Amino acid sequence: MKATVIATFFGVFLICTYAAKEATKKMKKSKLYVPQIDCDVKAGKIINPEFIAKCPPGCQDVKYRVYGTDIYASFSSVCNAAIHSGIIDNTGGKILVQKVAGHSGYRGTFSNGVRSLSLPRWRESFLVSEGKPRKGVTYPSTLEYSSSKNTAVKSEPKKPEQDLKAMKSADSANAAEKASEQGDTVRKEYQTSPVPTPATQMATTTPTPTTTTTDPSTTTPKPTTTPAIARTTIVAAAAKTRPGLHRLRDIGSSSIHPAYSSVVAAASRQVQAAQGRGQNTAFRGTSTSPSNRNILRPSAGIQRQEPDAAFRRAAGSPAHLAMETDSWKPGLSLFDPGFSSKEELNPKPLEPVSQGNPNCKVDLSFLMDGSWSIGKRRFQLQKQFLSNMAQALGVGSTGPLMGIVQYGDDPSTEFNLKTYANSKDLRNAIEKIPQKGGLSNVGKALSFVNKNFFLDANGNRGGAPNVAVVLVDGWPTDRVEEASRLARESGINIFFVTIEAAAESEKQNVIEPDFVDKAVCRTSGFYSINVPSWFSLHKVVQPLVKRVCDTDRLVCSKTCLNSADIGFVIDGSSSVGTSNFRTVLQFVANISKEFEISDTDTRIGAVQYTYEQRLEFSFDKYSTKQDVLSAIKRISYWSGGTSTGAAISYASEQLFSKSKPNKRKIMILITDGRSYDDVRVPAMAAHRNGIIAYSIGVAWAAQDELEAIATDPDKEHSFFVDEFDNLYRFVNQLIQNICTEFNSQPRN
């Protein structure tokens, strides 16, 4: 009886406890208030590092701009980015936003009715996902927005030297935030009789740095580990990505869950700082999800004879192929083991290694056609061509570096940029490449190169243009346009060498007509070579070397941040005043530090004017960002009248006349009042000379003059602000407009 009473009492106690917990949960849930944000709110305006918010209906509009795909630049519209990623539609809804580190190479895509734009680099990024709270995270019911005034921009009148200190501090913080690094990942394949190359042996015996690894088929992160011994990471076969899971590709592991991406980015920066390396972003954004496939594959041994090109493409499978009986030159063996026992026991003295051709500093990826249609003999001719290219280029650490990707059904890296540093070793490695077989999926190969080849971990030098040369037999068996566009936007100069192109009777078999023009960097003919026969391929070695080494014409390496001569024309009239003049200089510095500054990248110059004009410094005066920022700080306030028209003419003649032919000429004029002289005629002359003019008016500036000075459309090139302390608001908008205009340039 007593036991029954105790049991009953205990049961009632458990029921009451459970009910109390459920009531508490419901109470907490009911108290969770989700703040609403407007369609035009940018992630950078919200200070909270992670928050849940509700987007209103109707945010799917081109005026709410988005930059990036999956990972977005922080001056993107939060709600329109959520629509682009598929989290919500135009009816609005709740979203989860997570701030992450700055990023390089934001990709522009069209998704869910929203066109996002590409961007080479930005200081802060964010991710969007379904508006469900994460366990253990407390979300704010009220969002904290950045102040309408930026005290870092405004300067004290009596202490102008503080301005540059703030600039230096901000610049250093941005540089540290953008640096990230990750060790190599070796993809291991199961083969019938694998023969490892020296590059593979090196990759599998080099200790890897601290990494965070996840299985592609799951979203559960594994803990961070630091292995004490060498290891090889085995990457599972590609699995379908679940809807709603947005992975961060370029600032950490390619399968890191967004919830941990900022942690991984911070860990990567610590590794970067410890190793004392910096990030090179002069030509192309750095990604840190390497995929090296340095494993020599055994030859399938099944080849075919030489039918017409259409039949060769239609077959596409080794099951339909006969053994090819073509003979080949002795000495070109596919199965040369690479050394003899005598060489191993009696090594020769080391020969001096060439540093390479310094007049051809480029990072090259050759995409070789390994499809079955090419046949054994043509594949050997292709290898001979690549060997001749390696010799003619003069590969070396201070000259060109060269890697090879072979494609068939799927692409794989034979060796990357850092595997071989001289032509001799490179040629020996090319001789041993076996044929993959399969179709000619060029589009898939270009996508692979864009995501995996040009990484710091694979030898990408940052300061050297990225060049991809595609060799294709006949025509591709997949579409190339979209993959090529993304590669070009990432700064890759794409060349096509087409051998035995489709005849008129075969063109109906081509999947994508005019595929070469849709793929190459520019359609001028400079980036494409058509070879009538594999047996005449050797004739294009020297012409191709000349083209890939002509760095002034590798225009796809140019981005909106590294390809301009920017001249600031600054009003120094009496109405500005000393304090406001320092604020203007801070504004000029904030714009300048967003660009990649060097003697070969973006250059900065400055003119100050009153009734008269003064050249503060020319484009060729300073070649580093720090020197430019210091020079801006040293500009002394002049005081006087306002002759803006004469200042435009002076800048055209004394500053922009010294601009390089391959640079975009951008003039940014800042004034606070109406000009004493005419601005229209000088502005029209500047426009005719190819100067892109932006006008920024403060306080009493005349709107009609601002529009006359600005390049058409003037609404995108002229700005007005009521007071000097609000100038900082236009820094992001100005950079955004410069990049949007750059990305819209025609490709002919």
Side-chain angles (χ1 to χ4, degrees), residues 15 54 182 196 318 385 606 641:
I15 292 171
K54 186 176 181 181
Q182 180 177 338
F385 169 75

Side-chain angles (χ1 to χ4, degrees), residues 489-501:
E489 289 180 357
S490 296
I492 302 176
N493 297 274
I494 302 175
F495 287 78
F496 257 66
V497 178
T498 309
I499 306 99
E500 298 181 9

Side-chain angles (χ1 to χ4, degrees), residues 387-465:
S387 180
N388 293 342
M389 284 295 300
Q391 183 67 32
L393 283 165
V395 172
S397 57
T398 61
L401 293 179
M402 175 176 164
I404 291 180
V405 171
Q406 184 180 176
Y407 67 89
D409 290 335
D410 296 295
S412 60
T413 301
E414 297 295 340
F415 40 83
N416 60 38
L417 295 168
K418 68 179 182 181
T419 308
Y420 301 106
N422 62 79
S423 297
K424 181 180 178 181
D425 293 343
L426 191 58
R427 297 180 73 187
N428 290 336
I430 291 170
E431 183 181 323
K432 300 179 179 72
I433 297 176
Q435 187 174 2
K436 284 174 62 71
L439 300 173
S440 293
N441 290 332
V442 175
K444 189 180 287 188
L446 284 168
S447 180
F448 174 85
V449 167
N450 184 28
K451 295 176 181 178
N452 300 287
F453 189 85
F454 291 108
L455 310 177
D456 281 0
N458 292 340
N460 182 53
R461 292 173 289 182

Side-chain angles (χ1 to χ4, degrees), residues 19 31 185 204 311 313 324 407 414 470 530 580:
K31 287 183 179 179
T185 300
T204 58
F311 178 75
R313 290 290 168 199
E324 187 180 59
Y407 67 89
E414 297 295 340
V470 182
N530 184 29
N580 288 333

Side-chain angles (χ1 to χ4, degrees), residues 598-615:
S598 77
D599 55 351
T600 58
D601 298 317
T602 290
R603 303 186 303 169
I604 305 292
V607 167
Q608 184 183 175
Y609 73 95
T610 57
Y611 284 124
E612 300 176 290
Q613 306 83 34
R614 183 168 73 196
L615 180 64

